[in-house]
Amino acid sequence: MRKSSVLYAAGLVMLLLTGLPQLTLADGPYKVSKVVKVGGEGTFDTAFADVEARRLYIPRKNPGRITVFNLDTLEPAGEIPDAAANGVVVDPKSGHGFASSQPVTMFDGKTLKTIKTIDVQGRPDAILFDPFNQHVFIFSHIAPNATVINAVDGSVLGTIDLGGEPEQAATDRNGKVYVDVRDKNDIAVIDARTLTVSARYSVGPNGGRCSGLAMDLKNRILFAGCRMPQTMMILNAADGKILDSLPIGSTADSAVFNPQTKEAYSAQIDGTLTIIKEKSPTSFAIEQTVQTKDSAKQMVWDSKTNRILLLAADFLPPTGPPRAGVAGYGGKMVPDSFSILVVTK
């Protein structure tokens, strides 16, 4: 999950679109219903919605800190300083939060006070909380690719070699964790009990460099948002069988599955939000493509209110030539332009 302070150059986007099914902005019930100007210094990355505690956590850098908002009103609710993180999770049972910073910051979810910092190897990026055994997975593009932490006491339980660059992960809440391994064009299946890789599911040749991942827990279906080519790969989580592939926008970076509506959401850096309808466990269709805002590739879903919240900002024009295969290459973020977009029906 690269910094959101950069965008694909136009030439690279056109190159990637050549020969692919063209994605059109389809009408539908979803729309951007509200834009909240947050501003403030620094870039942003993967947010986290604590639905039970009604808090929204957003990592900011330069300076590094975690900004906290009321999930209902989107008004500021606090800040966790000195945490230059790429992601945040909170364990609702212990009340402990974790930021994928270096070192990892462990904090109290009620007071927002730092409990301790945890030294880990690698370069912390994506993060996942697995309620199955109250473990926190810290993912890194360099070895070790995953560090597992006990959410109760913050102890390091072990590391996992994923053989590549992990991106978004999903848990089945029953002993398995799935994670995109972007540069290997596959999904690694982690045994949450033994902390080993038990299987690998290829997304090729129709999908590659996947960075978004969501799961339908009931029907055990994975939705992997891929960048090259730009497709949503849909797989059976039990055996990795590819069920379908559908076109999405440029540079997907986050995916969510809504079990209430049987819809998968994929947010892209080109300012599109693709909504895919699961008509049955074997039938899928693009329901709508919502125009959001360039850079809005990170999102969270509030299951209580059924709102989708996207993070976005304004950026200066790219300062260099496009580089094939490198996501997020463009200009600097315009100061004080950070916003939260609310998408609803």
Side-chain angles (χ1 to χ4, degrees), residues 20-234:
L20 293 176
Q22 294 301 298
L23 188 67
T24 58
L25 294 177
D27 292 332
Y30 288 92
K31 63 183 181 300
V32 177
S33 58
K34 186 178 183 181
V35 177
V36 178
K37 178 72 176 297
V38 174
E41 294 182 79
T43 57
F44 55 94
D45 210 323
T46 311
F48 176 78
D50 187 339
V51 177
E52 295 182 21
R54 308 308 297 159
R55 278 180 166 172
L56 173 67
Y57 294 84
I58 302 178
R60 302 292 299 272
K61 292 184 179 179
N62 304 316
R65 77 276 191 202
I66 308 296
T67 52
V68 186
F69 299 84
N70 181 304
L71 188 55
D72 293 305
T73 66
L74 300 183
E75 292 290 329
E79 186 173 284
I80 303 167
D82 302 321
N86 291 310
V88 186
V89 293
V90 176
D91 169 17
K93 189 173 182 180
S94 68
H96 295 156
F98 296 82
S100 58
S101 50
Q102 179 62 286
V104 170
T105 299
M106 179 179 177
F107 61 90
D108 186 303
K110 291 183 178 179
T111 66
L112 303 182
K113 300 295 184 181
T114 297
I115 297 173
K116 66 177 180 177
T117 58
I118 306 166
D119 289 326
V120 297
Q121 295 176 303
R123 189 169 57 240
D125 188 9
I127 188 170
L128 173 77
F129 172 69
D130 186 3
F132 170 70
N133 48 15
Q134 286 183 272
H135 289 174
V136 176
F137 289 75
I138 307 288
F139 295 102
S140 166
H141 283 188
I142 62 175
N145 305 123
T147 300
V148 185
I149 296 173
N150 185 328
V152 177
D153 59 13
S155 60
V156 176
L157 302 174
T159 61
I160 307 170
D161 180 7
L162 298 173
E165 301 174 356
E167 286 287 319
Q168 191 172 9
T171 170
D172 71 353
R173 300 172 176 249
N174 194 36
K176 288 186 178 180
V177 170
Y178 304 84
V179 58
D180 291 319
V181 183
R182 187 175 63 184
D183 58 330
K184 298 302 180 183
N185 297 336
D186 67 16
I187 296 171
V189 184
I190 299 172
D191 186 321
R193 297 178 177 87
T194 63
L195 304 185
T196 58
V197 176
S198 60
R200 304 191 81 99
Y201 299 157
S202 174
V203 295
N206 293 332
R209 295 191 70 82
C210 301
S211 291
L213 189 66
M215 185 175 184
D216 173 358
L217 296 176
K218 180 180 179 181
N219 293 314
R220 299 190 59 77
I221 296 170
L222 297 170
F223 296 84
C226 303
R227 298 180 175 186
M228 297 177 67
Q230 298 162 197
T231 54
M232 176 68 84
M233 299 299 300
I234 305 171

Side-chain angles (χ1 to χ4, degrees), residues 251-325:
T251 316
D253 206 46
S254 58
V256 171
F257 183 78
N258 183 342
Q260 300 174 23
T261 61
K262 294 294 182 182
E263 294 167 328
Y265 311 132
S266 178
Q268 288 86 223
I269 202 172
D270 63 358
T272 58
L273 174 68
T274 306
I275 300 172
I276 294 173
K277 181 71 173 182
E278 181 183 310
K279 300 163 70 175
S280 78
T282 58
S283 178
F284 311 88
I286 295 176
E287 182 177 49
Q288 186 181 355
T289 303
V290 183
Q291 184 70 62
T292 57
K293 181 180 176 63
D294 287 350
S295 80
K297 64 175 185 171
Q298 282 295 337
M299 67 174 163
V300 296
W301 171 58
D302 181 358
S303 59
K304 180 180 178 180
T305 64
N306 250 333
R307 297 181 304 165
I308 303 165
L309 307 178
L310 297 117
L311 312 182
D314 297 324
F315 290 83
L316 298 173
T319 56
R323 293 184 293 173

